[in-house]
Amino acid sequence: MAYIKWLYRAAFLIITLLALCAGYLYTQVTSPIILSDTTTFEVMKGDSAYSLGHRLHSEGLIEQPFLTRVVAKLKPAWVPKVGKYALEPSMNLMQVMALFDSGESISYDITLLEGKTTQDYLLAMKAKGNIKMTLLGLSDKEIAEKLALEVDHPEGRFFANTYRYQDGDTDVSILKHANGLLVNTLAQLWDNKAEGLPYKTPYEALIMASIIEKETAVPAERPLIARVFISRLQKRMRLQTDPTVIYGLGKAFTGNLTRKGLQSKSPYNTYRVYGLPPTPIANVGREAIEAALNPGRTKALYFVAKGDGSHAFSNSLKEHNRAVRKYQYKRRDDYRSTPQVTQ
């Protein structure tokens, strides 16, 4: 009998100790981590429950390093994802480990603006300081190859939009995302285009959209400018648009389009060549593409900047010349060809 009583007491003691241990572990993994303010913690390549436990402990966030292994055992499929994570004072170790498993690391935004070139986009990404740059210094063809584009020139192949990225993402990954969005948007709008347009391919419509984007930032004018250019194409008139000439001049353009610049021999000089330039001259958003594929109604064949960001439209060359004399020869002191941006 004494032996049986001893076994009962031993079993009770073991169960009690196990219960106490379980209670301790439960308290440790469900209580808030040791943190007074939001902090950033980086999960690095090769990290495991063991290494994370020691790093969290060394940074004073948990009392015992082995606790991370306890949590990992509770979820056999747990795998930490590389990235920087925001840890909040209210989080417990279970939530921290779940966060590492989710891959929902700290993300950032970058806005790729309408009317900017691919090189402008690369410089904007470089300025962020936490995007891995691999395309700077490459030629247009090399950039197109790196991004697996279906054309040899990358200009205009990226949708102007705001994109989310994580620390250490590459310029290639961001631009591939922007290209995918551009391809899908262009295909969707091409399927719903107006009848009788002079484009043979969606790419030609994209070229037109880039010219529209560079000519005006006034939303209501985009469809009208699209119609002017479409009418000129249909009448076999040169487009005669300054932004294409400026793009063709590249670094030779110093900020003032001179007579010499207008006489430059370039496939982008639409004062000398007929039709569209060979590539887009900038990246665009949805509105410019919509305007190119669904132009407005106007008989105008000409337009000139009025100096307040808008344009005066004319049906005849005589009328246009009067508008040029009015708005260009005696420019107002605050003259600008695009609308003023207000913050």
Side-chain angles (χ1 to χ4, degrees):
M1 292 291 294
Y3 177 73
I4 295 175
K5 288 181 179 180
W6 182 86
L7 286 177
Y8 276 127
R9 288 173 182 173
F12 177 77
L13 181 60
I14 292 172
I15 292 172
T16 301
L17 289 174
L18 289 174
L20 289 173
C21 287
Y24 169 78
L25 293 175
Y26 178 79
T27 300
Q28 290 295 309
V29 300
T30 58
S31 297
I33 56 177
I34 308 168
L35 192 63
S36 57
D37 295 303
T38 300
T39 190
T40 299
F41 185 88
E42 183 175 7
V43 175
M44 297 181 290
K45 186 176 181 180
D47 266 334
S48 62
Y50 176 83
S51 62
L52 288 171
H54 281 276
R55 288 177 53 213
L56 289 168
H57 174 67
S58 67
E59 294 188 22
L61 299 176
I62 59 177
E63 292 183 356
Q64 301 295 335
F66 73 86
L67 292 171
T68 52
R69 282 178 282 173
V70 173
V71 176
K73 289 290 184 182
L74 296 175
K75 188 179 180 183
W78 178 85
V79 177
K81 312 300 189 303
V82 173
K84 291 182 179 179
Y85 296 85
L87 304 187
E88 305 287 344
S90 61
M91 297 176 71
N92 60 43
L93 186 56
M94 292 281 286
Q95 293 169 325
V96 169
M97 296 290 277
L99 180 63
F100 294 163
D101 180 56
S102 72
E104 295 176 2
S105 56
I106 298 171
S107 61
Y108 305 84
D109 290 340
I110 182 168
T111 299
L112 304 181
L113 297 170
E114 295 94 337
K116 298 295 184 179
T117 66
T118 300
Q119 289 300 318
D120 291 332
Y121 283 178
L122 291 177
L123 292 176
M125 286 187 278
K126 181 183 179 183
K128 283 291 184 177
N130 61 347
I131 297 174
K132 185 178 180 182
M133 303 303 298
T134 65
L135 300 175
L136 281 173
L138 299 184
S139 67
D140 289 332
K141 186 174 182 180
E142 289 171 331
I143 292 174
E145 289 175 350
K146 287 273 189 179
L147 295 171
L149 301 181
E150 55 191 38
V151 292
D152 290 337
H153 200 294
E155 201 67 86
R157 302 301 297 182
F158 312 110
F159 193 73
N161 200 11
T162 297
Y163 296 92
R164 304 209 82 179
Y165 69 94
Q166 296 176 331
D167 188 59
D169 279 355
T170 66
D171 49 3
V172 169
S173 65
I174 295 171
L175 289 181
K176 279 190 174 181
H177 186 188
N179 173 251
L181 194 53
L182 184 281
V183 170
N184 291 337
T185 302
L186 182 59
Q188 176 193 19
L189 296 178
W190 178 263
D191 288 340
N192 295 283
K193 67 181 182 298
E195 297 292 331
L197 298 177
Y199 317 125
K200 296 179 181 178
T201 64
Y203 188 63
E204 290 186 352
L206 185 63
I207 294 172
M208 177 65 82
S210 73
I211 299 173
I212 296 167
E213 189 68 69
K214 293 297 290 183
E215 280 287 4
T216 185
V218 178
E221 285 191 347
R222 288 192 182 107
L224 298 179
I225 286 178
R227 175 55 68 186
V228 170
F229 285 139
I230 288 171
S231 296
R232 292 180 72 90
L233 286 176
Q234 292 171 332
K235 292 178 179 293
R236 289 288 297 163
M237 297 173 65
R238 296 184 183 92
L239 293 183
Q240 295 183 322
T241 170
D242 291 358
T244 63
V245 182
I246 293 170
Y247 184 83
L249 290 172
K251 294 181 180 179
F253 179 67
T254 59
N256 182 31
L257 188 55
T258 62
R259 183 183 298 274
K260 181 179 179 181
L262 290 172
Q263 294 173 344
S264 62
K265 293 182 179 180
S266 162
Y268 292 92
N269 187 348
T270 52
Y271 283 87
R272 294 175 62 94
V273 300
Y274 288 92
L276 294 165
T279 74
I281 59 172
N283 294 288
V284 302
R286 184 183 185 92
E287 292 78 8
I289 300 174
E290 286 182 330
L293 292 172
N294 291 279
R297 293 184 178 182
T298 179
K299 294 181 179 179
L301 292 173
Y302 309 88
F303 59 85
V304 63
K306 294 166 64 175
D308 60 356
S310 64
H311 295 80
F313 292 82
S314 304
N315 295 351
S316 67
L317 181 58
K318 183 178 180 179
E319 185 182 342
H320 175 64
N321 288 336
R322 284 200 301 266
V324 170
R325 287 193 293 271
K326 179 178 180 180
Y327 296 112
Q328 296 286 312
Y329 288 177
K330 294 182 180 180
R331 292 188 174 186
R332 45 198 280 180
D333 293 336
D334 62 345
Y335 178 93
R336 60 185 183 275
S337 60
T338 57
Q340 185 174 12
V341 178
T342 57
Q343 301 296 331

